[in-house]
Amino acid sequence: MGATRAEVLRALERADVLHVAAHGMFSPRGPMLSQITLDDGPLMAYDLLTARRIPRLVVLSACDAGMAHAPVDGAALGLAGAFLDGAARTGDAACVVAGVVPVRDDEALNLMTLFHTLLAEGRSPAEALAQASEKTAVPGFVCFGAGDTPFATG
């Protein structure tokens, strides 16, 4: 099922878990221009600056969505950083699972299916990702932020 920018931004307001499977692109010269491609165009990192709420867990099953550039002030910029910054602005802890390299769609599907199964069994996002990566032999996804707290998703 496809999604539009407006639908994803609305989902931020009500979801505890947001999973977006899309094409991602990191922009090293302008990290806040990093994007995931949705049905009606790109959702840019800077679009997240207006979010009033960020889900506890954001999964970006997209190539390069976890890439970041840290300028001199140390703020990690990019999609994952923008989600984490949005959560910090509202005083919430969040976890972002995102791809840092290109991954084939079928591999990402296998990894993410097992990842969500392990989450539903009570594993933390970091533990679920590590186990799913090991069992599927699909590398390339990283857990950012508060990934050590278990919570069921199903």
Side-chain angles (χ1 to χ4, degrees):
M1 179 176 127
T4 65
R5 293 174 61 240
E7 290 169 335
V8 171
L9 292 171
R10 275 195 309 273
L12 294 176
E13 300 292 321
R14 63 183 187 275
D16 280 334
V17 176
L18 176 72
H19 185 128
V20 179
H23 175 70
M25 185 189 84
F26 175 66
S27 178
R29 291 191 175 191
M32 293 305 283
L33 298 175
S34 297
Q35 60 182 275
I36 48 178
T37 304
L38 301 174
D39 279 357
D40 63 343
L43 176 71
M44 313 292 270
Y46 69 76
D47 290 327
L48 302 170
L49 296 175
T50 60
R52 293 183 297 214
R53 181 183 173 278
I54 299 294
R56 290 176 36 207
L57 175 61
V58 175
V59 180
L60 301 174
S61 183
C63 300
D64 299 333
M67 297 295 292
H69 173 71
V72 176
D73 67 4
L77 300 175
L79 283 165
F83 276 106
L84 292 174
D85 181 64
R89 277 194 326 271
T90 61
D92 295 321
C95 174
V96 177
V97 171
V100 293
V101 297
V103 178
R104 290 185 5 213
D105 290 349
D106 60 332
E107 291 177 338
L109 176 62
N110 291 336
L111 173 78
M112 290 300 161
T113 300
L114 182 54
F115 170 75
H116 283 288
T117 298
L118 294 167
L119 280 178
E121 291 174 357
R123 298 206 182 43
S124 70
E127 183 181 13
L129 180 61
Q131 289 180 6
S133 294
E134 181 180 350
K135 289 180 181 178
T136 61
V138 177
F141 286 88
V142 178
C143 184
F144 300 91
D148 59 343
T149 304
F151 64 97
T153 62

